[in-house]
Amino acid sequence: MKKLITNGTIVTAADMYEADLLIEDGKIAAIGKNLGTGAEEVIDARGAYVFPGGIDPHTHLDMPFGGTVTSDDFETGTIAAAYGGTTSIIDFCLTNKGEPLKNAIQTWHEKSKSKAVIDYGFHLMISEVNEQVLEEIPLIIEEEGITSFKVFMAYKNVFQADDETLFRTLLTAKEHGALVMVHAENGDVIDFLVNKALKEGNTAPIYHALTRPPEVEGEATGRAAQLTGIAGSQLYVVHVSCAEAVEKIDEARKKGYQVWGETCPQYLVLDQSYLEKPNFEGAKYVWSPPLREKWNQEVLWNALKNGQLQTLGSDQCSFNFKGQKELGVGDFTKIPNGGPIIEDRFSLFFSEGVKKGRISINQFVDIVSTRIAKLFGLFPRKGTIAVGSDADIVIFDPNKERVISAETHHMNVDYSAFEGMKVTGEPISVLSRGEFVIREKEFVGKPGSGQYLKRARFGSQEKPAEKVR
Ligand SMILES: [Zn+2]
């Protein structure tokens, strides 16, 4: 089946030009003019941008946390992602100490395989390094194509790993060709500050932010970067929220260390004052790291523009306000951390970034798609519009205005952190490997049609990754 997208403006991380795009067998078969003959279906994209599909490198779907489970699973989460212009996600597979890593991966396959409507891969959490883990890692890279490992420097007594674990993970990643990701906050200091706040009777949501000051993020980011330098390895810092962390990443990069940083839309448009909303509504804005003082937004935008930060993840981690966020009434430490955002990452970033002149349209594509594909072993199969790449395409109306609201979003959650925010630009149709998932703003995909992404080793992105299952 051949499809032809005509009259659109193709935008990649490097170029912007008018051309037609021929899709055959799920791949981009040709780009040029007058490709019209032989296509069974012609899609008119006049007035629209034709973007490579967004890649969200940071999602938590169907994830247990703090005695509850995120409200979006791989079905509702990937449908919402597709509505928002995202055609691939990489989700975090949580592991349990003492259990084979393989078991955790199997659990994540079971959560996702019959549900995902777009392609998906996994990062694997490493919470301890021992002989068994060291034996398993090369096999997991080889067999599962999981080439990124996440280490938590925070969440003491839950996910937190010590510095030896981080350092040995960095060494192992270097040896086998993987990227180490860190949640960079000093969990020990946070634990102390949290206990102190509770003892003093400070239980409201705002204390979530006040007990995790930006310095603990800056400290952990700098520590992780230095350990990466010693190991000669490679590091990706997730959800960078503040100036202190940007500085440390920039410093490390200037030394020539292989360190990259991701930020998220919430840190670009929301700020710490949201945690003070009345009637416990501040709980809707509890992320870790927390929202920061507003001036940090400009620091983050500049860092994206200047290349000090390189990617945008959503950190999708949705919990309903009713019944889930409310677990923390009277004790902010019981508020599940995270928010719904998988659907809005792409268009919010376009609206606030490109439309407001903060980044170029090519930077937009690089930050939401191309760079992510390169760092996580998916390029050039994903992340660009080129002959031979998967036909993961977003047909995007750059002038359509809409208001974000829980009434109209597709995530399975009872609020939006961006309620009432006006955005310009909206995905009209979205294709995954040449098949419509969203057609004229209607979901037409099928649960289970998303494929598991086996990813290439770090540093070998030039070779097309192979598919499994
Ligand atoms: Zn996260």
Side-chain angles (χ1 to χ4, degrees):
M1 169 92 178
K2 289 185 188 172
K3 287 191 180 78
L4 184 74
I5 300 176
T6 60
N7 300 320
T9 301
I10 294 174
V11 190
T12 68
D15 297 304
M16 179 159 161
Y17 55 95
E18 276 166 36
D20 296 347
L21 206 154
L22 186 70
I23 297 168
E24 194 174 356
D25 299 329
K27 300 218 176 263
I28 296 167
I31 303 169
K33 299 277 183 191
N34 308 316
L35 305 172
T37 50
E40 284 92 339
E41 187 170 4
V42 177
I43 302 143
D44 189 4
R46 192 176 301 272
Y49 289 136
V50 178
F51 287 131
I55 303 174
D56 193 335
H58 192 153
T59 70
H60 302 280
L61 299 176
D62 199 355
M63 184 192 80
F65 183 93
T68 187
V69 180
T70 55
S71 62
D72 280 290
D73 65 7
F74 276 82
E75 183 170 332
T76 63
T78 57
I79 290 172
Y83 267 108
T86 293
T87 53
S88 301
I89 61 166
I90 314 176
D91 198 81
F92 286 95
C93 170
L94 296 186
T95 55
N96 297 310
K97 276 186 184 168
E99 264 185 38
L101 301 173
K102 273 253 167 209
N103 293 7
I105 296 166
Q106 201 45 45
T107 302
W108 246 253
H109 279 306
E110 279 156 24
K111 286 173 188 283
S112 52
K113 67 183 172 201
S114 64
K115 292 191 171 178
V117 307
I118 55 172
D119 293 352
Y120 60 97
F122 304 144
H123 311 289
L124 188 71
M125 169 189 166
I126 302 291
S127 58
E128 60 181 345
V129 174
N130 52 36
E131 288 317 306
Q132 189 197 340
V133 168
L134 289 174
E135 251 171 54
E136 265 199 287
I137 283 179
L139 293 174
I140 283 163
I141 291 174
E142 187 66 33
E143 291 166 12
E144 294 284 340
I146 294 178
T147 54
S148 46
F149 298 97
K150 167 93 172 273
V151 177
F152 286 89
M153 300 170 80
Y155 297 115
K156 192 168 181 173
N157 303 323
V158 186
F159 300 142
Q160 188 174 330
D162 59 17
D163 288 349
E164 182 189 341
T165 300
L166 171 56
F167 189 62
R168 293 182 74 182
T169 305
L170 283 161
L171 290 171
T172 307
K174 182 194 177 188
E175 184 183 349
H176 297 287
L179 184 58
V180 177
M181 311 169 80
V182 280
H183 175 134
E185 286 185 297
N186 186 319
D188 289 352
V189 173
I190 290 167
D191 190 58
F192 177 85
L193 294 174
V194 163
N195 287 328
K196 182 168 174 284
L198 290 178
K199 253 183 233 144
E200 291 167 356
N202 296 322
T203 61
I206 185 63
Y207 287 95
H208 173 76
L210 299 179
T211 54
R212 313 176 84 96
E215 290 83 355
V216 300
E217 185 182 339
E219 186 279 325
T221 304
R223 182 162 28 112
Q226 295 287 12
L227 296 180
T228 303
I230 301 169
S233 188
Q234 45 270 343
L235 181 78
Y236 178 96
V237 184
V238 299
H239 51 44
V240 172
S241 74
C242 61
E244 283 81 352
V246 171
E247 270 167 31
K248 293 297 179 186
I249 290 168
D250 189 44
E251 212 174 86
R253 291 174 62 81
K254 282 181 177 148
K255 285 185 193 164
Y257 296 172
Q258 296 196 86
V259 177
W260 293 270
E262 164 200 279
T263 189
C264 313
Q266 50 272 35
Y267 303 116
L268 295 171
V269 299
L270 306 176
D271 64 77
Q272 189 178 300
S273 67
Y274 283 75
L275 282 107
E276 295 179 287
K277 287 202 176 212
N279 304 318
F280 196 64
E281 280 205 56
K284 294 176 178 175
Y285 305 93
V286 166
W287 275 278
S288 293
L291 298 178
R292 302 299 189 185
E293 288 178 8
K294 197 171 173 59
W295 61 269
N296 285 279
Q297 293 172 3
E298 200 186 327
V299 174
L300 296 174
W301 279 112
N302 283 334
L304 288 167
K305 187 185 176 74
N306 300 335
Q308 293 164 309
L309 296 177
Q310 297 79 29
T311 66
L312 189 79
S314 69
D315 199 4
Q316 160 74 21
C317 193
S318 54
F319 297 101
N320 287 305
F321 183 66
K322 292 261 166 255
Q324 292 193 295
K325 288 285 185 178
E326 283 178 345
L327 293 168
V329 173
D331 180 352
F332 71 89
T333 67
K334 304 252 169 21
I335 302 168
N337 289 197
I341 179 144
I342 198 166
E343 185 167 351
D344 300 308
R345 179 188 71 118
F346 191 94
S347 44
L348 220 159
F349 192 53
F350 179 84
S351 186
E352 289 291 315
V354 180
K355 280 283 174 183
K356 294 196 173 169
R358 289 161 162 149
I359 50 165
S360 74
I361 197 164
N362 303 110
Q363 283 182 313
F364 167 78
V365 174
D366 193 43
I367 292 166
V368 294
S369 182
T370 313
R371 190 70 70 98
I372 298 162
K374 288 178 177 171
L375 284 169
F376 292 102
L378 292 169
F379 190 83
R381 178 179 165 197
K382 306 286 191 192
T384 193
I385 292 183
V387 172
S389 293
D390 283 357
D392 291 357
I393 305 288
V394 179
I395 299 173
F396 190 86
D397 178 346
N399 299 313
K400 181 81 176 53
E401 292 184 0
R402 74 186 174 98
V403 175
I404 297 177
S405 174
E407 306 266 298
T408 47
H409 74 197
H410 302 87
M411 293 175 282
N412 181 38
V413 63
D414 63 2
Y415 76 97
S416 168
F418 307 99
E419 187 70 37
M421 192 175 287
K422 285 197 187 95
V423 289
T424 307
E426 186 179 27
I428 303 301
S429 294
V430 177
L431 294 93
S432 165
R433 283 176 281 99
E435 299 298 325
F436 281 101
V437 184
I438 305 296
R439 183 171 199 147
E440 300 287 332
K441 296 192 235 180
E442 287 299 323
F443 173 66
V444 294
K446 206 172 91 244
S449 61
Q451 289 182 355
Y452 175 71
L453 294 168
K454 193 179 173 189
R455 297 179 287 119
R457 285 170 204 268
F458 180 86
S460 65
Q461 291 91 343
E462 301 314 313
K463 291 174 207 149
E466 287 167 54
K467 283 187 221 172
V468 294
R469 75 191 71 212

